[in-house]
Amino acid sequence: MKNLPQKVRSKKLSSKVDLTAMVSVSFLLIIFFMVVGELAKPKIIDLSLPQKYDDEIWRDVITCGHIDPNRIVTVLLDDNNKIITYSGLFFSPIKEPTKVGYGNNGIRKILFERSNLIREYSAAMGRPKYGPIVIIKPSKKSNFKNLVDILDEMAIGKIDTYTIVNEFTPEETQLLASN
């Protein structure tokens, strides 16, 4: 027998694949999409805005005893960082309209003083948990920064009940125009 040529057998390659790099990339992608998803969420402030109100209905609600006018503080925002505030209702104010600015000696001081007076009054009336109700009225001339600043003042002053109303009475419009 002659030497027959032997069949050349090919080497079997290892069938194992190293997936370490693939796992690392997949974890990086997961982390990336989690971070992007978190950053894409809008940052908002929760506000409870009232329904559009009519002055006659508002007066009826207050005169029927549903809201104590002694607890109401109105803050009017105008251009050039101008703030006018009064206590009570415009047609029967407890404290006359006052022009103030932002900061420690401005609106913050007034809100602290009024808040303390209202809480003392409420405690004397047998309702110690009742605090001030602040009505914020930004004019069309005021800017967004002023609105954010006044909302910050509400948080600093620990005022729980406040609302933003975008309608002015004719008297309030005249008051803003005169100052």
Side-chain angles (χ1 to χ4, degrees), residues 4-22:
L4 294 172
Q6 293 193 354
K7 291 185 181 177
V8 178
R9 293 198 176 210
S10 60
K11 285 185 178 178
K12 287 191 178 181
L13 297 175
S14 173
S15 62
K16 293 183 180 181
V17 178
D18 187 16
L19 295 178
T20 306
M22 182 70 88

Side-chain angles (χ1 to χ4, degrees), residues 56-92:
E56 295 303 317
I57 295 171
W58 184 248
R59 288 178 189 175
D60 291 342
V61 166
I62 291 170
T63 55
C64 290
H66 297 296
I67 297 175
D68 187 356
N70 293 317
R71 293 177 54 206
I72 298 175
V73 177
T74 304
V75 177
L76 307 174
L77 304 177
D78 203 13
D79 62 343
N80 298 327
N81 299 330
K82 194 172 14 172
I83 300 174
I84 298 174
T85 181
Y86 61 90
S87 297
L89 302 173
F90 194 82
F91 52 86
S92 61

Side-chain angles (χ1 to χ4, degrees), residues 3 6 26 40 66 75 81 101 121 128 130 146 156:
N3 261 351
Q6 293 193 354
S26 63
H66 297 296
V75 177
N81 299 330
Y121 166 79
Y130 284 28
N146 293 77
I156 292 168

Side-chain angles (χ1 to χ4, degrees), residues 17-30:
V17 178
D18 187 16
L19 295 178
T20 306
M22 182 70 88
V23 171
S24 297
V25 169
S26 63
F27 276 119
L28 286 173
L29 286 173
I30 290 170

Side-chain angles (χ1 to χ4, degrees), residues 118-160:
I118 290 168
R119 289 183 197 282
E120 288 173 10
Y121 166 79
S122 296
M125 298 300 289
R127 298 178 234 149
K129 294 184 179 179
Y130 284 28
I133 300 170
V134 179
I135 301 172
I136 303 167
K137 294 186 175 187
S139 72
K140 292 182 180 175
K141 295 178 184 177
S142 68
N143 57 33
F144 186 70
K145 180 187 180 304
N146 293 77
L147 182 61
V148 171
D149 289 344
I150 202 69
L151 291 175
D152 287 341
E153 294 294 339
M154 296 297 121
I156 292 168
K158 294 182 177 64
I159 296 177
D160 300 326

